[in-house]
Amino acid sequence: MGKLGIHAGMATDATHVVGWQATVAWQHASGDTTPSTRLRFADGGESFDVSGVPLARNATTVDAGLSFRLSPAVHLDASYTGQYASGLSDHGGRVSLGVSF
């Protein structure tokens, strides 16, 4: 699988209180696009197949986020990730609070 895109980001002021980042890319999967593997438990038994969701051959991916420094020891981050292809869309988000001491 290969990915080609552009990434940008910056702090919105000299004190780095607020920052942002964004990535937009084209993702191309080659070969077998249905992930699968044969597994077996360590203590023996019959082997079994595990298959994943088929990957899109071509997709656009988007990642974007904001970062807020609430104090010298506390920061808040929020981000979005998405993948778009013919007949497919996948979305995710995350919010995290970090405290340093």
Side-chain angles (χ1 to χ4, degrees), residues 21-85:
Q21 64 83 24
T23 302
V24 178
W26 167 66
Q27 180 175 288
H28 176 74
S30 59
D32 187 8
T33 59
T34 303
S36 65
T37 189
R38 181 169 287 275
L39 301 173
R40 180 180 303 172
F41 290 108
D43 60 350
E46 294 293 318
S47 62
F48 54 94
D49 293 327
V50 176
S51 297
V53 176
L55 302 171
R57 181 79 53 198
N58 292 293
T60 300
T61 61
V62 176
D63 296 297
L66 293 171
S67 179
F68 304 93
R69 190 174 70 179
L70 304 176
S71 75
V74 180
H75 65 274
L76 177 69
D77 297 316
S79 62
Y80 165 80
T81 185
Q83 184 179 61
Y84 307 91

